[in-house]
Amino acid sequence: MKNLFKLTCFLLLGISSLQGQTNSISGKVTSNGEVLPFINIYLKKTKLGTSTNENGFFELKNIPNGNYTIVASSVGFKFKSAKITVSGNQKIIKNFNLNENNSLEEIVISGTLRPVSKSNSPVPVEVYSKSFFKKNPTPSIFESMQNVNGVRPQLNCNVCNTGDIHINGLEGPYTFVLIDGMPIVSGLSTVYGLTGIPQALIERVEVVKGPASTLYGSEAVGGIINIITKKPTNAPVLSTDVFSSSWGEINTDIGLRYKLSKKTQGLLGINYFNYQNRIDNNKDGFTDLTLQNRISIFNKVNIERKSNKVFTIAGRYVYEDRWGGELDWEKEFRGSDVKYGESIYTNRWETFGTYQLPTSENISFQFSANGHYQNSFYGTDSYNAEQLIGFGQFIYNKQIAKRHDLLLGLAYRYTFYEDNTFATLEKDGITNKPSVTHLPGFFIQDEIALNTQNKLLLGARWDYNSLHGSIFSPRVNYKWNSKDKADIFRASVGNGFRVANVFTEDHAALTGAREVEFDGELDPETSWNANLNYVKKINTENSFITLDASVFYTYFNNRILPDYETDPGKIIYANLDGYSVSKGISLNTDITFTNGLSINAGATLMDVSITENGIKTRQLLTESFSGVWSISYKFNSNFSVDYTGNLYGPMRLPLLGEKDTRAANSPWFSIQNIQATKKFTNSWELYGGVKNLLNFTPAANSINNAGNPFNVGINTEQNPELAFDPSYVYASNQGIRMFLGLRYTIF
């Protein structure tokens, strides 16, 4: 009994001692004198962590005695750490000053489908933070990509201004666009779905160049663009961004964080864009910029669970009414031959989410679904389409023997597509038969840590397309890094595949200006890609420098390309009887000086060619050189200037035969912008500047025979060069303009 009494007293004294520990660490996080809200602060190898408040302050309380490493980190900043010893009810003050743009330590998920620091990823992933896109504000993520090296937003129509995103010279259908890792933008929305994503909710954008079909399946041939939205727990209570231009564009972004309960938090985003100004500066009788009325509503809900496992679900709705055409076109002329106009009504819904199963193993279920409904007229030609896509996959992640990180996936995609073109007609030419595709698949990936400096990634995927049969996609990635990770070398070889649906991907097929013809059944495309990547990090007393160089090579079989040249009155789609190659070299440099100057620049030199019947030609609408830059200077924590721009080399353009008077190649051209930003408080920010400083626009005769859009009195077979043709397009007709915007944030 006596011993029991002593033991009880000892335990009570121990508990009292633990409860009495009031060790704490507090401080402030800044960058170049500016406070940083929502920076992650945590003690390594513990569950103790927090984030800075709206004024950049943090505090960790009730820390047991011991030795710790405290870390401050956030995407877009170089993380910093410090060793701290606490004992005897200490109150320690520790401040951090973070440096921007150390991209090597950013967390990425797109390359391997699991969170990993960028320097540890065997797949080269480029990361662009929200601050990068603020340097050249735009109404949509489509336009924002114009300052990313090797990525070019391509307009596909002079009249309605729809477009897609090219990666390393490959057209939009080869680019797989995801939101929070889920395949949302595909098919019809490759053309129309890249607008309307509220940029106030975007945390960062990850870009992977080269085939990623092993993880993502069909369409991920040229690369992927993964739009990562903010977490409800880290987002501001309210964020608004409104700007207008001298052309009359008005764009509004609103983000709102809310709580449904203690464990359920949400993030609501609204984007509204309106442009109703009929401008014809090139005097061709057509609108230089389409008139648009678009609204997008986004909602994301995060549910906290006792197990701390993930459960998040999100949805988005987009409505857009856009038209372009003759200046005096009105809605009453829609579908008639009185006045030429291209009018597009789009309704689109999306939902996606992730649910970690309540098991001891790391198993997640990811899902997405979308419906796209389009009602369009291109002159007198109508295009009505409906597309439904459902996607789900289970992912199992298991660490085996410390060296192997195993990832297994089981996926299924359902696609329903119906339109009023011959693409969904039966052989009798009368009965309409919607296209239904089932695509189950299985993938496996093993990330092998050979040692601290060498890593090998092996992956393979098998899919069964209900229309085309089995498709196999393997890949191999290798990474080496120096001990201090100042040098990183990566090599990869991979396979990609794509099952094409022309009418959902190529806007030129819809315009009605040329007759569309299919030459035989379109078989799936396949490609092999090789990529070498080298990253060099140099830190000096006054600067942080990152150099990133890549060499890429992609070889295509069964390439599906539009043929504008065999018959000037037609667009002929067929599998290439030969092969196609995309090869080149790119260089990125990111330099941040401690005096407030930062430079981000890149250039890509490439050759995209088609070889058929022994004859090699350059691919249409593909530049051989492109360059981008972003130069920023912070005069102080409240005032900065950004100068951004791009430069493109000549592209071969589609002509209407030898007598076409338009130039066969586009000129060298550059779009440059300048912006000044003034921050008044942590909440108010005013910005403004000039876009397209050089006032570059394409030639005034880009729309051929704009005065006779219905080809009245013209035999276009005998004189194809006299036909109306809006497919000769490589840049926007929108010239120089001023813009002014205001941001208001409540943290």
Side-chain angles (χ1 to χ4, degrees):
M1 181 67 70
K2 187 176 181 181
N3 290 334
L4 180 62
F5 177 75
K6 288 181 178 180
L7 178 61
T8 303
C9 291
F10 176 77
L11 290 174
L12 289 173
L13 286 171
I15 294 171
S16 176
S17 175
L18 287 173
Q19 289 177 337
Q21 289 177 359
T22 58
N23 298 318
S24 67
I25 305 173
S26 61
K28 186 176 182 181
V29 181
T30 59
S31 177
N32 294 324
E34 183 177 352
V35 297
L36 296 178
F38 307 119
I39 300 297
N40 296 316
I41 307 292
Y42 61 93
L43 299 182
K44 265 190 173 183
K45 299 180 180 180
T46 75
K47 294 183 178 181
L48 295 174
T50 185
S51 59
T52 58
N53 64 14
E54 65 272 15
N55 297 314
F57 288 102
F58 70 89
E59 185 175 15
L60 293 171
K61 297 180 180 180
N62 300 324
I63 305 172
N65 296 335
N67 299 317
Y68 299 96
T69 299
I70 184 171
V71 178
S73 70
S74 180
V75 171
F77 296 91
K78 179 184 178 182
F79 86 93
K80 283 194 175 180
S81 63
K83 294 187 180 298
I84 288 180
T85 300
V86 294
S87 63
N89 300 328
Q90 280 186 301
K91 292 186 178 181
I92 298 174
I93 297 176
K94 177 60 184 175
N95 298 322
F96 289 96
N97 182 45
L98 302 187
N99 298 306
E100 292 184 353
N101 296 326
N102 181 6
S103 58
L104 285 176
E105 296 304 328
E106 293 168 337
I107 301 299
V108 297
I109 61 173
S110 301
T112 59
L113 272 182
R114 67 182 189 86
V116 62
S117 69
K118 186 179 175 183
S119 61
N120 285 329
S121 173
V123 179
V125 181
E126 298 177 15
V127 182
Y128 299 91
S129 66
K130 56 184 179 294
S131 60
F132 175 85
F133 296 110
K134 283 183 178 180
K135 296 178 181 181
N136 181 29
T138 64
S140 70
I141 194 67
F142 171 78
E143 295 175 55
S144 294
M145 300 304 291
Q146 65 186 281
N147 288 112
V148 176
N149 186 27
V151 178
R152 182 171 67 86
Q154 163 68 33
L155 289 179
N156 294 326
C157 174
N158 258 317
V159 180
C160 68
N161 295 158
T162 56
D164 54 37
I165 290 182
H166 291 199
I167 294 181
N168 288 343
L170 300 179
E171 295 90 339
Y174 298 90
T175 301
F176 202 43
V177 181
L178 308 103
I179 301 180
D180 288 342
M182 288 293 93
I184 291 297
V185 178
S186 57
L188 277 170
S189 53
T190 298
V191 178
Y192 301 102
L194 290 171
T195 55
I197 299 174
Q199 295 201 59
L201 303 184
I202 296 176
E203 180 67 28
R204 67 186 189 276
V205 175
E206 298 180 3
V207 178
V208 177
K209 298 172 183 175
S213 294
T214 303
L215 287 181
Y216 296 100
S218 180
E219 287 111 42
V221 177
I224 64 170
I225 296 174
N226 191 3
I227 300 166
I228 310 295
T229 60
K230 295 177 181 177
K231 294 180 179 179
T233 52
N234 293 337
V237 174
L238 174 68
S239 59
T240 61
D241 189 344
V242 181
F243 76 85
S244 180
S245 77
S246 56
W247 272 51
E249 302 161 284
I250 299 174
N251 185 76
T252 302
D253 263 333
I254 300 174
L256 177 66
R257 173 166 57 93
Y258 62 90
K259 271 191 175 184
L260 293 176
S261 68
K262 283 186 177 181
K263 295 186 177 181
T264 305
Q265 298 187 68
L267 189 61
L268 175 67
I270 300 173
N271 170 259
Y272 178 69
F273 177 75
N274 186 278
Y275 173 72
Q276 301 296 326
N277 199 10
R278 305 185 187 208
I279 294 178
D280 180 24
N281 287 338
N282 63 6
K283 307 301 180 185
D284 63 359
F286 277 69
T287 52
D288 289 345
L289 185 66
T290 55
L291 280 68
Q292 300 174 52
N293 189 25
R294 180 182 71 238
I295 187 166
S296 173
I297 301 173
F298 175 92
N299 191 53
K300 182 177 183 179
V301 176
N302 184 58
I303 301 172
E304 294 181 15
R305 300 159 66 190
K306 289 182 179 179
S307 60
N308 289 325
K309 289 183 176 289
V310 175
F311 183 22
T312 179
I313 187 169
R316 186 169 77 109
Y317 171 76
V318 182
Y319 171 78
E320 183 180 64
D321 173 6
R322 71 158 63 205
W323 75 268
E326 295 185 83
L327 284 179
D328 51 355
W329 184 90
E330 299 291 345
K331 294 281 185 182
E332 61 192 79
F333 302 137
R334 194 172 192 261
S336 75
D337 60 0
V338 178
K339 294 291 179 180
Y340 186 88
E342 296 186 359
S343 173
I344 302 167
Y345 299 150
T346 300
N347 277 282
R348 179 175 175 82
W349 61 266
E350 303 163 349
T351 184
F352 57 94
T354 299
Y355 177 77
Q356 278 188 301
L357 272 61
T359 61
S360 58
E361 299 290 342
N362 186 4
I363 304 175
S364 297
F365 175 65
Q366 299 177 327
F367 62 91
S368 69
N370 62 73
H372 191 106
Y373 309 91
Q374 187 171 320
N375 181 331
S376 317
F377 273 98
Y378 302 86
T380 57
D381 295 329
S382 70
Y383 175 69
N384 295 309
E386 176 182 359
Q387 179 177 270
L388 299 170
I389 297 178
F391 172 82
Q393 69 180 9
F394 286 95
I395 295 178
Y396 173 58
N397 190 201
K398 178 73 172 179
Q399 185 81 29
I400 301 175
K402 294 185 179 180
R403 288 179 175 266
H404 296 266
D405 201 315
L406 187 67
L407 188 76
L408 300 175
L410 187 65
Y412 171 76
R413 184 190 296 187
Y414 168 87
T415 303
F416 171 93
Y417 173 73
E418 182 178 20
D419 66 21
N420 63 334
T421 73
F422 64 83
T424 56
L425 283 180
E426 292 277 28
K427 292 182 179 179
D428 60 14
I430 300 173
T431 309
N432 199 48
K433 183 183 179 181
S435 171
V436 176
T437 306
H438 302 276
L439 189 67
F442 171 79
F443 59 89
I444 182 171
Q445 173 182 279
D446 187 12
E447 189 173 325
I448 308 168
L450 302 175
N451 51 47
T452 57
Q453 293 180 254
N454 293 273
K455 185 176 288 187
L456 183 66
L457 180 72
L458 304 176
R461 183 186 184 102
W462 173 84
D463 287 276
Y464 184 82
N465 186 289
S466 59
L467 301 179
H468 299 284
S470 296
I471 304 171
F472 180 66
S473 304
R475 77 163 171 176
V476 178
N477 294 77
Y478 167 75
K479 181 186 77 76
W480 170 89
N481 59 264
S482 59
K483 290 183 179 180
D484 60 358
K485 294 187 179 180
D487 297 271
I488 298 177
F489 172 77
R490 297 179 176 95
S492 65
V493 177
N495 171 260
F497 72 92
R498 187 175 77 93
V499 178
N501 188 327
V502 167
F503 284 96
T504 70
E505 298 169 351
D506 191 349
H507 176 81
L510 307 175
T511 62
R514 299 188 187 212
E515 181 185 348
V516 176
E517 183 178 294
F518 288 175
D519 185 3
E521 292 290 331
L522 299 182
D523 295 325
E525 299 178 335
T526 59
S527 68
W528 284 96
N529 169 273
N531 184 288
L532 300 176
N533 173 253
Y534 174 68
V535 177
K536 175 68 175 177
K537 178 184 173 185
I538 305 169
N539 290 342
T540 69
E541 185 178 349
N542 300 314
S543 64
F544 303 91
I545 304 171
T546 300
L547 302 176
D548 189 330
S550 292
V551 178
F552 58 89
Y553 180 93
T554 306
Y555 180 95
F556 286 92
N557 283 318
N558 289 336
R559 182 86 184 272
I560 299 171
L561 289 170
D563 179 1
Y564 290 85
E565 298 170 309
T566 299
D567 186 336
K570 296 180 179 180
I571 305 177
I572 303 172
Y573 292 91
N575 286 112
L576 184 65
D577 185 16
Y579 61 90
S580 176
V581 171
S582 170
K583 58 185 177 181
I585 183 171
S586 69
L587 176 66
N588 283 307
T589 180
D590 191 353
I591 308 173
T592 302
F593 297 93
T594 55
N595 64 359
L597 176 66
S598 62
I599 301 172
N600 183 290
T604 299
L605 184 66
M606 61 186 175
D607 177 21
V608 184
S609 63
I610 301 160
T611 302
E612 194 168 20
N613 299 321
I615 301 174
K616 178 182 175 181
T617 57
R618 281 180 59 197
Q619 181 177 290
L620 288 170
L621 294 170
T622 305
E623 69 280 9
S624 57
F625 174 85
S626 66
V628 297
W629 65 86
S630 172
I631 303 173
S632 303
Y633 186 76
K634 284 189 174 182
F635 291 88
N636 52 53
S637 61
N638 296 320
F639 184 69
S640 61
V641 174
D642 302 295
Y643 170 50
T644 59
N646 50 50
L647 174 66
Y648 297 110
M651 310 175 203
R652 199 164 69 89
L653 302 172
L655 297 178
L656 296 173
E658 296 180 355
K659 295 182 181 179
D660 195 324
T661 59
R662 296 174 295 181
N665 295 285
S666 65
W668 285 84
F669 69 94
S670 176
I671 306 296
Q672 301 177 24
N673 322 283
I674 193 165
Q675 172 187 256
T677 303
K678 172 65 176 177
K679 200 167 187 177
F680 293 96
T681 66
N682 285 337
S683 296
W684 291 97
E685 188 173 279
L686 182 69
Y687 62 92
V690 181
K691 290 181 179 287
N692 197 356
L693 281 165
L694 304 181
N695 196 28
F696 172 81
T697 54
N701 66 341
S702 292
I703 300 179
N704 198 62
N705 196 15
N708 188 7
F710 297 104
N711 294 322
V712 177
I714 297 175
N715 187 329
T716 56
E717 291 187 4
Q718 293 182 359
N719 304 103
E721 72 279 358
L722 299 180
F724 172 71
D725 179 30
S727 60
Y728 179 99
V729 58
Y730 54 92
S732 172
N733 285 314
Q734 192 175 19
I736 189 171
R737 58 205 181 276
M738 294 185 293
F739 67 96
L740 184 67
L742 182 67
R743 297 186 182 101
Y744 176 65
T745 306
I746 300 176
F747 296 99

